[in-house]
Amino acid sequence: MFEQEKQILDELIARFCQERSLPTGKLEWRSIPFSGEWGIAAPLFPLAAADPARTQPVPQHAQALAEALRDSIKLPAGFSRMEAVRGYLNLYYTTSEYAKKVIDSVLASGSRYGSREPEGKPIMVEYSNPNTHKPLHVGHLRNVILGGSTCNILEASGKRVIRANYLGDIGLHVIKWLCNYEKYHQGEQPGEDKTRWMGDLFAEADRRFAYEEGFEAEVRAYFARWDARDPHIHALWKETREWSLEGFKQVYDLLGEHFDRIYFESEVEEPGKAAVEQLIKSGLAEDGRPDLPVVVNLDQILGTKEEYRVVIVLRSDGTSLYATKDIPLAVMKFNEYDLEKSIYVVDVRQTLHIKQFRKILELMGYPWADKIHHLAYEIVNLPGNVTMSSREGTVVLLDDLIREATRRALEVVQEKNPELDPAQMQAIAEAVALGAIKYPMLSRENTKMVTFDWESALDFNGQSAPYIQYAHVRANSILRKVGFQQESGADFGMLTHPSEVDLVELIARLPEEVQRAARELKPNLLANYAYDLAKGFNDFYNQCPVINAEPALRAARLALVAAARWCLGNTLRLLGIRAPEVM
RNA sequence: GCCCUUGUAGCUCAAUGGACAGAGCACCAGCCUUCUAAGCUGUUGGUUGCAGGUUCGAAUCCUGUCAAGGGCGCCA
């Protein structure tokens, strides 16, 4: 926001350092952590510690240097005063100019505030990766939400992004499903909620596979026919897979997700086997078939010890594995696109596997192998550290959760805004419910486990998405009431109330928060910022009347409210959470 | 056995190596003739698992240790 001013300051300080033969480039600017006034601060401790002329302890010397700086450099334009306190040099902005700069910049950019134009090579983010013919539960949600908002944030930070989804459309789970369908549900069609119906049938097939006499044998026989490319089974597979895809589309639409590139596991199976042959030929893989599988002994090749372990790349019966397919998939990605980076949003339990196949790709000579990046996240558990498993029946289905959350949100809307029409109420309830579900998964660090429980998932109060959405609604409500048109010429020097000062500071932070969240691939930084921003706005809302303020102050506050609304709306959008106008 | 992650208020979590470790939930006491109370104010709550080390400065970095979870040759 004040890059030029900072640069001038840096030059002044550099000159000061040279005169005293101090090392340069040791100062880092941060904002002053106390509320009430805007400014930047620099700790002088590093400089003091490096000063050869130092004769006293570092803290005292830092204070002395801060005082010397304060007295020797001329206050640059844009700053109103300077002070040396406890080893820090604090510079305060000219308040009216600062507020004007921040608010004008937001109002000029609107929905683009906080974002940069995408440029450069694209980054591919692979996420979601559901299995067809299976139910979606809350565990899958974290992946989608994390991946989706990571994409939004990368885009806003100025990167081109390709959203990729790798679908598990083959394997034993599919065969089970098909076999069960043919035997017990011949000719049935999915209903309105396709994912749920597919999921129910999967659960049934899975149960039969585990408990029903003879069913496993039938499935094995069915698998053999599949392998022999039985045309009837392949036709049924294609048809039923389509049902799953349509169901996923419904869920993605609801969640606000879309993908640019879809990969199917089925399309990389044969290329995977070919890649294994190549590995064997080049001596990287040992072929133990028919008794043993094909393995790449990475530790032996690299001379490492219990670090990369041994990777099985093909079963002894010649069928493929996860690792088999990851090799051609990565090759496909880099052949098709000139990627800056290829990110895999995959849960933390697969860390070793990703490390392994990246190393195999490197050994195969692909120069882009080091561009593969694992965005690891912890899984979602149920209370008592129970892992979600459809077999154990320990799952919370996505469908059930969304339905219940929407029902509860609808109750609140009906109570608060009975005059709205039903379609609008439904839309608001959905936005609130989805936000409430998404927020806890976004606001935690990626590496921390999320424990799902109904009570907190359906809590619309406190540190939650509805709280942030509500702040947006309040800002919107004020602007709507006065028919706010972007007026110019407000005197921002009037924004001197501590909560106004805080709010301007919070708004000013968005661009750098986006950059940092993108750099570190941590949407939770932005989720926490969104909450701080909403809190700052609510504080302002409670303490500073806008509509009934006297005209000059009212104009300045209205512009501030408009800036806050853009900022809240934009931040929510980056998190993949809708920002309703009314709720 | 080897490796990874986590450990902060009763609970769930924050905190670019920087100024006094902050929120929410829960508990208790208040605030709706006033821009929507999905809100706000106040009270209570801490040896940042433990022990060392590095540093002017450590919840943050390093070493050790304890605890929980996860990964490690034919699951994905």
Side-chain angles (χ1 to χ4, degrees):
Chain A
M1 200 64 74
F2 274 82
E3 294 316 312
Q4 272 186 319
E5 286 81 352
K6 279 185 193 166
Q7 219 175 344
I8 293 168
L9 256 178
D10 285 339
E11 280 165 24
L12 288 172
I13 290 167
R15 202 172 311 152
F16 173 88
C17 290
Q18 275 165 14
E19 281 164 11
R20 298 184 161 229
S21 56
L22 287 166
T24 51
K26 288 250 179 191
L27 285 195
E28 274 183 32
W29 296 104
R30 60 194 65 243
S31 56
I32 300 172
F34 307 108
S35 59
E37 229 177 326
W38 305 296
I40 52 174
L44 286 150
F45 305 106
L47 212 53
D51 188 352
R54 177 168 69 88
T55 56
Q56 53 186 341
V58 170
Q60 281 87 331
H61 193 58
Q63 175 63 16
L65 284 178
E67 285 168 15
L69 255 175
R70 178 196 62 197
D71 295 337
S72 72
I73 64 175
K74 193 170 147 287
L75 197 61
F79 293 95
S80 64
R81 65 194 179 88
M82 205 170 4
E83 65 178 17
V85 58
R86 301 179 71 176
Y88 290 81
L89 181 68
N90 295 343
L91 284 101
Y92 294 90
Y93 294 132
T94 310
T95 54
S96 57
E97 279 179 39
Y98 183 70
K100 182 171 165 48
K101 209 158 192 163
V102 172
I103 294 170
D104 281 350
S105 140
V106 177
L107 296 184
S109 318
S111 64
R112 294 185 320 280
Y113 176 65
S115 300
R116 288 186 192 166
E117 283 303 309
E119 57 178 4
K121 289 186 184 183
I123 294 176
M124 178 175 278
V125 183
E126 179 196 297
Y127 68 104
S128 190
N129 301 3
N131 287 325
T132 64
H133 303 77
K134 264 190 165 184
L136 289 176
H137 58 69
V138 172
H140 298 108
L141 193 61
R142 187 170 191 186
N143 185 301
V144 182
I145 290 166
L146 178 63
S149 94
T150 299
C151 289
N152 296 341
I153 291 167
L154 282 170
E155 253 163 11
S157 79
K159 303 287 187 187
R160 289 182 214 282
V161 173
I162 300 164
R163 293 153 197 261
N165 195 352
Y166 176 45
L167 297 161
D169 62 338
I170 50 166
L172 184 60
H173 73 278
V174 176
I175 302 300
K176 270 191 239 178
W177 193 99
L178 293 172
C179 186
N180 182 63
Y181 176 82
E182 283 234 276
K183 197 167 173 206
Y184 299 99
H185 298 274
Q186 182 77 268
E188 282 178 33
Q189 296 279 317
E192 186 68 18
D193 188 341
K194 296 191 172 71
T195 305
R196 186 184 192 91
W197 184 81
M198 297 291 291
D200 286 347
L201 257 64
F202 175 77
E204 181 185 309
D206 202 50
R207 255 195 324 273
R208 289 211 161 93
F209 190 81
Y211 303 116
E212 187 175 299
E213 192 80 18
F215 188 68
E216 182 179 342
E218 285 181 66
V219 169
R220 297 288 175 200
Y222 205 88
F223 210 154
R225 284 171 60 200
W226 157 270
D227 265 343
R229 304 201 150 269
D230 181 315
H232 167 73
I233 294 179
H234 272 258
L236 182 65
W237 166 67
K238 280 222 157 170
E239 188 189 359
T240 56
R241 182 179 79 169
E242 201 52 35
W243 295 342
S244 256
L245 299 185
E246 286 165 19
F248 291 158
K249 176 89 168 55
Q250 290 173 342
V251 174
Y252 292 139
D253 283 349
L254 187 61
L255 293 175
E257 294 296 335
H258 70 277
F259 293 93
D260 305 307
R261 182 69 168 91
I262 305 287
Y263 296 99
F264 289 104
E265 209 176 320
S266 57
E267 64 182 319
V268 281
E269 183 167 34
E270 289 312 314
K273 290 177 183 173
V276 170
E277 290 308 318
Q278 195 186 325
L279 282 169
I280 296 168
K281 243 180 238 148
S282 67
L284 286 169
E286 302 157 27
D287 188 356
R289 286 174 295 177
D291 299 327
L292 294 168
V294 181
V295 300
V296 179
N297 192 335
L298 281 171
D299 274 333
Q300 196 179 72
I301 293 167
L302 298 165
T304 48
K305 221 175 129 192
E306 293 194 87
E307 187 182 349
Y308 287 93
R309 308 274 168 169
V310 174
V311 191
I312 300 178
V313 290
L314 203 66
R315 285 198 189 89
S316 53
D317 65 3
T319 56
S320 69
L321 291 147
Y322 197 59
T324 320
K325 291 169 274 200
D326 263 315
I327 294 164
L329 178 62
V331 173
M332 264 173 91
K333 288 177 175 179
F334 280 94
N335 279 349
E336 192 174 344
Y337 304 99
D338 183 16
L339 298 174
E340 177 190 319
K341 206 191 282 191
S342 179
I343 296 173
Y344 290 69
V345 182
V346 179
D347 83 58
V348 70
R349 294 172 299 189
Q350 294 182 39
T351 302
L352 178 61
H353 304 269
I354 289 179
K355 189 175 157 181
Q356 288 173 331
F357 87 74
R358 184 173 49 202
K359 183 57 77 177
I360 291 176
L361 287 164
E362 189 190 311
L363 291 171
M364 290 172 88
Y366 293 109
W368 39 256
D370 64 340
K371 293 181 178 173
I372 287 172
H373 185 271
H374 180 201
L375 174 47
Y377 65 93
E378 259 295 355
I379 58 169
V380 180
N381 269 353
L382 294 169
N385 194 26
V386 175
T387 305
M388 291 205 197
S389 149
S390 33
R391 184 159 314 160
E392 306 292 325
T394 51
V395 286
V396 174
L397 293 178
L398 198 49
D399 192 47
D400 292 336
L401 176 61
I402 293 173
R403 189 166 303 168
E404 178 60 14
T406 308
R407 192 186 66 73
R408 294 210 195 179
L410 191 59
E411 276 178 14
V412 183
V413 187
Q414 281 165 343
E415 186 196 320
K416 293 175 68 79
N417 285 301
E419 75 287 355
L420 296 175
D421 69 79
Q424 205 176 355
M425 284 193 202
Q426 181 63 31
I428 294 165
E430 227 169 60
V432 170
L434 288 168
I437 293 167
K438 288 176 175 186
Y439 191 80
M441 306 205 171
L442 284 168
S443 61
R444 273 155 189 67
E445 254 178 86
N446 300 339
T447 48
K448 278 187 179 161
M449 211 173 277
V450 169
T451 301
F452 176 89
D453 72 281
W454 282 95
E455 201 187 330
S456 59
L458 298 174
D459 189 358
F460 300 153
N461 301 311
Q463 199 164 0
S464 65
Y467 178 92
I468 303 161
Q469 291 169 316
Y470 188 59
H472 178 264
V473 163
R474 280 177 149 179
N476 193 62
S477 173
I478 292 175
L479 299 172
R480 191 180 56 241
K481 260 192 180 132
V482 301
F484 178 78
Q485 299 294 320
Q486 204 163 305
E487 300 154 48
S488 59
D491 176 9
F492 295 115
M494 304 195 73
L495 301 177
T496 54
H497 191 283
S499 62
E500 291 170 328
V501 172
D502 274 350
L503 184 53
V504 170
E505 179 61 38
L506 281 160
I507 291 169
R509 267 171 48 194
L510 178 62
E512 59 192 83
E513 295 290 340
V514 170
Q515 291 304 319
R516 198 179 144 213
R519 195 170 55 241
E520 300 182 20
L521 299 176
K522 284 181 175 178
N524 81 304
L525 296 175
L526 212 55
N528 293 329
Y529 165 75
Y531 174 73
D532 289 342
L533 180 65
K535 194 168 174 55
F537 180 79
N538 275 329
D539 189 40
F540 161 78
Y541 182 92
N542 280 292
Q543 299 197 52
C544 302
V546 178
I547 295 176
N548 294 323
E550 55 90 14
L553 184 57
R554 176 180 140 126
R557 284 186 174 167
L558 277 173
L560 175 58
V561 171
R565 183 188 57 172
W566 282 120
C567 203
L568 283 161
N570 293 354
T571 308
L572 283 171
R573 185 170 42 77
L574 291 177
L575 295 173
I577 296 172
R578 289 178 227 165
E581 309 264 291
V582 185
M583 65 187 263

